[in-house]
Amino acid sequence: MGAGPAPERKPSGFSHLVLHLHPRLVPAAALPFQRTCGLGGAAAVLFLVLAVTGALLLVVYEPSPERAYGTVVRLVDEIPFGAFVRNAHHWAANGLVLVTLLHLLRVFYRGGHLPPRKGNWFVGVALLLLVVACAFTGYLLPWDQLAYWAVTISTGMLEYVPAAGATMLRAARGGPDIGPATLARFFVLHVAILPIALLLLLAFHFWLVRKVGGVILPADAGDEASPRGPLVLTSPHLTQREGAAALVVLAAVMLLAAVRNAPLLAQANPGMSPNPAKAPWYFMGVQELLVHLHPAFGAVAVPLLALVLLVLLPALGGGERPSGRWFGSPRGARLAMAATSLAVVVTVAAVVANEPLRRARPWFPGLPPAVRGGVIPLAVAVILVAVVAWVSRRRGGSRLEVVQAAFTFVAASFVVLTVVGVFFRGQGMALVMP
Amino acid sequence: MSTAPSIEPSVPARRDFLGRLGKGLGILAAAEILAVVVAYLAPTRGGAGRGAGIVVAGPVGEFTPASVRPFPAGKFYLVRLSDGGFLALSSKCTHLGCTVPWSQKEQTFPCPCHASTFDLKGDVLAPPATRALDLFPVVIEGGIVKVDTSRRIERARFEPAQVTYL
């Protein structure tokens, strides 16, 4: 196998299509699974699954508060394979959010966010936001208790945006409360505007990957003469691998859809919030922050800072060349591991320690709540990130590895908060065992 | 031949001007279209006129002091304080808008979403909420308690002037 002259094959119509996405030849070094973990491809497959199942759901669903819930119940109870199609859409959507996040991490830890791939990193961050927006707008559509209250909480966060908060809240909901106008807005966003935006940006994303010469490769992939190493024919070497990976993703979605139902609670009741009322899992990290912090910080400042950090990551690299290896080097991996461990310990300790404190009388009642529950915790967090960076530097980390360790600390803390919110919060948002 | 140099400088200037004019008009047109879309999407006020949101709660004698009665349709609780005064508390948590239940045992309004807690007067007992529960105006006419749910009053904390007495 490999670089030898492959037998001449007449490309089929399908491989012609695939060869618009890929070049005719690809580096053999780009093929191993752990180069990309197939995550970008899995996201593309999930997007296609969502388009197909979404089109099927559209035939049955009616977007009005009076009828929405009834059509979903009919879908599940009466339509042949209705529950299966709905489940597949649900699991593919959750899978897409998860896979997109993992894809972002994979790209980052292989240095794919640095020049010359910097522009595509920004496109990727925009795609992540679109994927989350798609998932979130879809969350309201069943119009059950889960949907109604999760969207009440999540849109309620907008109220704490300084100055424009009230206007943004009314714009998002189409009125002061979740109602017919909200459902109409979310429906149009979910089935038309966001998917079209996603599709256009996805095409751009793919084109930029192609333009830069494909996936990032380790510096030792080739030699002086051919830095990318030996080349092989895209079809069949790459296409067969991609086809197999796509089938695995499809099988996983269908298996989940067959054995696990998408949740459907009682019809939305504006008079009664379920206890506990939780946001979708990808917002649970923020909801967990809201338990601890002043709302202007938990809902607005911290998520905004996290987004700014994602956008700044390429610039923070300081023009260092990516090695294309996982975590840059074994030392980089060790530093990232240490940052993860520290984040887990510190975050868990903070959550547990704050449990009795947040119900008790504040320590400094004279301080404004925004300082007590916002500025001070945020300053402590920034100092911790700075300490992680400083220690990494002292341990001989390169600039890239220092930034990597600091980002890992932030990301791991957020994962811990999400896990706590999803699994360890019970009635009245008290800490419980799952 | 001799006229050419005198004309030439004016041509780029004219093109420049037309180009800018075109760009400016394009931006203006885009702004107009954007304004139309914003106006189209802006929430419209409901057609409810004056007095449409009045909920008749009942005669004063029906409410014992230090008691709370829910009015789910009006999304408020009618509270009678121990001194006989009335408060109509919105049931919407001021943190992120969940509906707060009344806990008779604890004598509090505990929010199920983020564990904010409010007392009988709507004041914050436990964060993350930063403001007391909103009020609706209470009027007592001929011994009948009425609540105007169309006028939401936001407040930072409880003050005695907010209470309506017979």
Side-chain angles (χ1 to χ4, degrees), chain B residues 18-67:
Chain B
L18 285 174
R20 278 183 200 188
L21 189 68
K23 260 185 215 154
L25 286 174
I27 291 169
L28 191 67
E32 280 174 342
I33 290 168
L34 189 70
V36 168
V37 172
V38 168
Y40 181 93
L41 288 178
T44 46
R45 295 241 174 268
R50 266 188 81 81
I54 302 279
V55 174
V56 178
V60 172
E62 264 189 24
F63 304 94
T64 50
S67 73

Side-chain angles (χ1 to χ4, degrees), chain B residues 64-70 77-80 100-110 117-118 120:
Chain B
T64 50
S67 73
V68 175
R69 173 141 3 138
Y77 290 97
L78 190 62
V79 176
R80 188 155 197 200
V100 290
W102 166 247
S103 163
Q104 186 67 36
K105 199 173 96 211
E106 312 269 340
Q107 293 285 305
T108 57
F109 296 97
T117 315
F118 306 88
L120 191 69

